[in-house]
Amino acid sequence: MEAPAQEQRDSILKVAVASFIGTAIEWYDFFLYGTAAALVFNRLFFPSFDPLTGTMAAFGTFAVGFIARPLGGVVFGHYGDKLGRKAMLSATLMLMGVATFAVGLLPTYETVGPWAPALLVLLRLIQGFGLGGEWGGAVLMAVEHAPAHRRGFYGSWPQMGAPAGLLVATAVFSYFSRMPDAAFLAWGWRVPFLLSAVLIGMGVFIRLKVAESPVFKARPKTEAAESMPVMEALRQYPRQILLAMGARFAENGFFYIITTFVLSYGTERLGLPRTTLLNGVLIATSVHLVAIPAFGAASDRFGRRPVYLAGALGCGLMAFPFFWLLDTKETGLIWLAITLGIIAHAAMYGPQASFFSELFGTRVRYSAASLGYQLASVFAGGLSPVIATALLTQSGGQAWPVSLYMVALAVVTLVSVWLSAETYRAHLTDAPPAGAALSEPSSHSPSPARTP
């Protein structure tokens, strides 16, 4: 009995590590673009605009990637529910890598004129399409392999890929940004994008070594014939999809204000060195990497909703102090502001994978979870730097409208999570067996009772 149990634990850990590494590589590609949009793209691809308008245009191309994410979630979710999670993960990784590598080869506006930003938008669309299919598959591989009483913890492993990807992207970009400005703008900014080719090869190799989700393999063969899983998800789980979207507003919007908008705000509004801000993001992201699994594990003990609600409340309370601390221009206080904001975010992001996965049945889980997650990213994460920059422009450089916007995001999430059912006990027995699968809820049975 002990040997099979140990073998099962090793298998779960292998899947969790593979999900983490693959997701980290995809997020490296995605975040690299965000950092470049805040610091470089306004000058290289939109040079005819004034600095603030050029930044808005660069953030506009950043938002385009989020618009493509729901489409990627639908397409890869469809085939992930029909054919399995594993194959989709390798495909999304390759798609993301090719697009990111190509960004590093793009000619600038000075060379090809308007074609430069047009090509940039096209590659960002491909990035977003690939990432849209990535999240659902990665978290389901981790959650569906995990024991019922540890889904929050193991589900947080692919979530850790986001700060890991951001950490590597920011570190690499920070290193090359120390070059003389002329050399950095000429070719230095391209190197981080070209390096993605090496990472993609590693990620695909690792993902091919893991087994398919046992929950997917165990479902009845007839379920594989479901013609349109996404339509089934919309018919069966419309409320859960909408609440999952609302739950993402604070989590997603705050994250990109804290890690992307803050770079342009600090350099252009406050006149701070970009290395000060990049180092602050690096410190906060290191803390984020530890906080995510800690909050994921806490959700196994206290429930998904209480942990998630605490994070949303923390983000709302940080909205005004965040900019007060930035405006001091004191390095230590700037780093503190970014770190506190990222800890509040981790309280939502840690339990999110298990929380969203447990809302839906196996047959359409990839499609349904991806829809709730990716649709929100269009309105929250993708637009938040653009909206924040526009609010800053309209207020004459004052940050308080941005803080009010952050409070509004927090309110949407607080209401959505409060209205959601608690899920962490829905599939547990008194003595959960190792590797217990998520059960298939009946479409005619009532939702689990809401408990705080």
Side-chain angles (χ1 to χ4, degrees):
M1 293 293 291
E2 185 63 29
Q6 180 61 45
E7 185 178 340
Q8 191 171 49
R9 283 194 293 270
D10 291 344
S11 174
I12 295 165
L13 186 59
K14 181 179 178 180
V15 170
V17 171
S19 296
F20 164 69
I21 293 173
T23 307
I25 292 169
E26 292 234 23
W27 280 114
Y28 166 82
D29 291 347
F30 203 75
F31 287 138
L32 199 59
Y33 190 104
T35 305
L39 299 176
V40 175
F41 288 166
N42 59 331
R43 300 166 68 179
L44 295 177
F45 292 90
F46 304 96
S48 59
F49 298 124
D50 64 82
L52 196 56
T53 306
T55 299
M56 284 189 66
F59 280 148
T61 66
F62 178 73
V64 162
F66 289 83
I67 295 171
R69 282 170 64 173
L71 181 59
V74 168
V75 172
F76 286 105
H78 170 81
Y79 289 105
D81 282 326
K82 289 175 69 70
L83 306 177
R85 311 347 185 169
K86 179 179 173 179
M88 298 304 105
L89 289 177
S90 296
T92 60
L93 195 58
M94 286 295 295
L95 193 63
M96 191 78 168
V98 169
T100 303
F101 184 81
V103 171
L105 301 176
L106 275 183
T108 62
Y109 190 93
E110 185 180 7
T111 306
V112 296
W115 283 104
L119 291 170
L120 189 66
V121 169
L122 175 62
L123 292 175
R124 184 58 174 174
L125 282 169
I126 296 173
Q127 273 195 331
F129 184 77
L131 190 65
E134 159 70 18
W135 181 86
V139 300
L140 292 187
M141 284 289 281
V143 171
E144 291 180 348
H145 272 88
H149 61 299
R150 300 296 303 280
R151 290 192 195 117
F153 174 69
Y154 283 111
S156 70
W157 281 62
Q159 301 291 80
M160 290 162 60
L166 177 59
L167 186 66
V168 176
T170 306
V172 171
F173 214 87
S174 180
Y175 175 80
F176 284 97
S177 70
R178 295 189 180 117
M179 298 171 60
D181 205 48
F184 178 65
L185 291 175
W187 61 270
W189 70 271
R190 299 180 182 274
V191 180
F193 288 92
L194 299 177
L195 287 175
S196 68
V198 178
L199 298 177
I200 294 300
M202 293 170 50
V204 171
F205 176 78
I206 291 169
R207 281 189 163 171
L208 289 175
K209 297 293 184 180
V210 300
E212 179 58 89
S213 158
V215 176
F216 179 83
K217 290 193 296 185
R219 71 182 190 164
K221 298 294 184 183
T222 55
E223 290 188 2
E226 175 63 49
S227 59
M228 285 295 289
V230 66
M231 298 307 297
E232 177 71 13
L234 290 170
R235 285 195 301 267
Q236 191 171 350
Y237 300 103
R239 183 174 185 271
Q240 289 92 328
I241 290 172
L242 287 173
L243 292 176
M245 287 178 61
R248 286 217 72 204
F249 268 59
E251 174 267 308
N252 204 221
F254 267 70
F255 186 78
Y256 288 102
I257 289 175
I258 292 170
T259 61
T260 300
F261 171 73
V262 71
L263 300 178
S264 64
Y265 178 80
T267 54
E268 295 172 13
R269 173 74 178 86
L270 303 179
L272 296 168
R274 60 180 174 234
T275 52
T276 298
L277 298 159
L278 288 170
N279 287 338
V281 173
L282 282 172
I283 292 169
T285 305
S286 301
V287 175
H288 203 207
L289 198 57
V290 177
I292 286 174
F295 284 117
S299 76
D300 286 327
R301 181 178 178 87
F302 304 109
R304 317 296 185 217
R305 291 176 65 251
V307 178
Y308 211 113
L309 287 168
L313 182 61
C315 283
L317 293 175
M318 271 295 297
F320 283 92
F322 178 73
F323 286 101
W324 295 341
L325 292 171
L326 291 179
D327 289 345
T328 66
K329 300 185 182 181
E330 295 289 334
T331 300
L333 295 178
I334 291 169
W335 292 355
L336 176 64
I338 299 173
T339 302
L340 290 176
I342 217 71
I343 290 173
H345 174 268
M348 295 179 285
Y349 206 56
Q352 188 179 82
S354 54
F355 186 29
F356 286 12
S357 298
E358 290 165 347
L359 288 172
F360 309 106
T362 308
R363 181 169 59 184
V364 297
R365 184 173 291 130
Y366 200 142
S367 298
S370 295
L371 273 177
Y373 186 90
Q374 303 299 355
L375 283 172
S377 69
V378 177
F379 304 105
L383 291 179
S384 59
V386 178
I387 292 173
T389 304
L391 291 171
L392 195 69
T393 304
Q394 291 297 317
S395 66
Q398 299 298 311
W400 63 264
V402 183
S403 296
L404 287 177
Y405 169 60
M406 294 165 75
V407 170
L409 292 174
V411 169
V412 172
T413 292
L414 285 167
V415 172
S416 298
V417 177
W418 183 257
L419 293 176
S420 298
E422 179 57 79
T423 63
Y424 87 118
R425 290 191 182 278
H427 307 288
L428 295 181
T429 62
D430 292 334
L438 279 71
S439 62
E440 179 73 55
S442 167
S443 60
H444 304 293
S445 59
S447 301
R450 190 185 71 196
T451 56

